[in-house]
Amino acid sequence: QVQLVESGGGLVQAGGSLRLSCAASGSIFSINDMGWYRQAPGKQRELVAVINSGGSTNYADSVKGRFTISRDHAKNTVYLQMNSLKPEDTAVYYCNVRIRNTYGYTNNYWGQGTQVTVSS
């Protein structure tokens, strides 16, 4: 079994910052891509940022220059540093991690979601 536990969401004023964390645990052999998605009310879930095992990153155009994704291999954790937050960043944020488990199977796993609310 693999578990993802997210933390760090909350309420912040526009222009503020938050840092999200997502820790993976369980029967992990290796971790490939780690990413963050978000879903606002009435909208589809969208990719925010992704980082591969080599450290290469990709960002949605809407967050470039404001958000930074990083990972700690030793802790099996991915982070999303969010600066200069805007009301349109309000959404539930989900981490997504591609994991090969100790049984040799590779799957994408989702975190439970954490609410980020940015007030104007």
Side-chain angles (χ1 to χ4, degrees):
Q1 290 283 9
V2 172
Q3 299 84 35
L4 299 182
V5 177
E6 298 182 30
S7 61
L11 173 64
V12 65
Q13 288 188 335
S17 298
L18 284 174
R19 189 193 194 207
L20 306 182
S21 300
C22 173
S25 63
S27 304
I28 298 171
F29 178 78
S30 63
I31 298 178
N32 299 322
D33 291 354
M34 306 182 85
W36 289 94
Y37 289 72
R38 66 187 181 186
Q39 187 167 18
K43 295 188 177 182
Q44 290 188 333
R45 191 172 297 188
E46 62 176 0
L47 175 67
V48 176
V50 63
I51 183 169
N52 68 15
S53 57
S56 295
T57 58
N58 272 305
Y59 296 91
D61 287 343
S62 59
V63 307
K64 283 181 181 177
R66 301 187 298 121
F67 291 9
T68 302
I69 190 170
S70 61
R71 62 191 286 173
D72 184 326
H73 290 273
K75 296 181 179 180
N76 290 336
T77 299
V78 61
Y79 305 96
L80 185 68
Q81 178 66 43
M82 304 184 293
N83 298 328
S84 302
L85 282 160
K86 304 175 180 180
E88 51 263 43
D89 294 318
T90 295
V92 178
Y93 284 69
Y94 299 91
C95 63
N96 178 272
V97 182
R98 188 162 180 81
I99 294 173
R100 183 179 181 185
N101 64 25
T102 55
Y103 303 101
Y105 296 100
T106 299
N107 287 299
N108 283 315
Y109 295 87
W110 290 94
Q112 80 276 15
T114 186
Q115 177 70 46
V116 171
T117 303
V118 185
S119 63
S120 57

